[in-house]
Amino acid sequence: MAGERAASATVSAASEGKAPRTDRGRKTLRAILDAAAIEFGERGFHETSISGITRRAGVALGSFYTYFDSKDAVFRALVRDMSDQVRDHVTPHIRAAPDQIAAERAGLHSFIEFVRGHKEIYRIIDEAEFVDPDSFRAHYATTADRIAQRLQAAAARGDVRGDVQGNTAEVYAWAIMGMNVFLGLRYGVWNEDVSPDAVADTVAQLLARGIAG
């Protein structure tokens, strides 16, 4: 299921009307996206070139224009692609958890693990605020929506407080996402001196008990 979603996301990443129709085309598109992630992550948007992306991907320059109209187009696609990769990585762990606190713990744990292997995601998403604000906003809005939906479902099951609905669920969702984003930055990008288990356990206790004396 996750593999099917990932393949579908890769196809839809191409510019309008340029989706690949063959397995070879999908592999080429995937190679371009993976190379773009490294180039944008290392050099930033303005210093990255299309020729640099294609050289790293090991494809002809013309192959780039088979799937993308411009550097801006591949950057927008990359933001969506990385957002989808995070979703596809953490979702199975969340769904396997026995209750909602455990699910939020599993989500953070798997996110930190993902970030440690894809540190470039922070530079790319941060640059999107200025390069493509719509993609930047969509990345966070869709993530928060997913969290809010699972919190409301958890409230209906009795896993969390019954008032975690509507605006309350939205506020909680953005708060949880905010914690995860900065914990990923601290313990996934800046330094790996604390295990994901230790970080996730601490946050799970915070969610379950709060910080009141």
Side-chain angles (χ1 to χ4, degrees), residues 21-74:
R21 296 182 175 86
T22 65
D23 286 340
R24 182 179 179 182
R26 285 186 283 274
K27 289 178 181 177
T28 299
L29 177 55
R30 181 73 261 164
I32 292 171
L33 287 169
D34 290 344
I38 298 172
E39 288 290 307
F40 285 125
E42 290 181 353
R43 303 174 185 278
F45 177 81
H46 295 292
E47 295 301 318
T48 292
S49 65
I50 293 172
S51 60
I53 293 172
T54 56
R55 277 197 303 273
R56 186 178 289 272
V59 302
L61 186 61
S63 295
F64 179 92
Y65 291 104
T66 299
Y67 303 110
F68 296 106
D69 294 327
S70 64
K71 184 171 76 168
D72 294 70
V74 73

Side-chain angles (χ1 to χ4, degrees), residues 151-165:
L151 289 178
Q152 291 180 92
R157 293 193 306 268
D159 275 359
V160 299
R161 287 168 30 183
D163 64 347
V164 182
Q165 299 291 337

Side-chain angles (χ1 to χ4, degrees), residues 109 112 116 187 192-201:
H109 183 280
I112 292 174
R116 288 184 175 186
Y187 297 105
E192 299 182 15
D193 56 333
V194 180
S195 73
D197 277 315
V199 177
D201 284 344

Side-chain angles (χ1 to χ4, degrees), residues 102-124:
E104 298 308 323
R105 181 200 179 282
L108 174 58
H109 183 280
S110 57
F111 176 65
I112 292 174
E113 287 189 324
F114 179 87
V115 167
R116 288 184 175 186
H118 302 81
K119 297 178 190 292
E120 69 276 2
I121 188 173
Y122 274 85
R123 180 169 188 175
I124 291 166

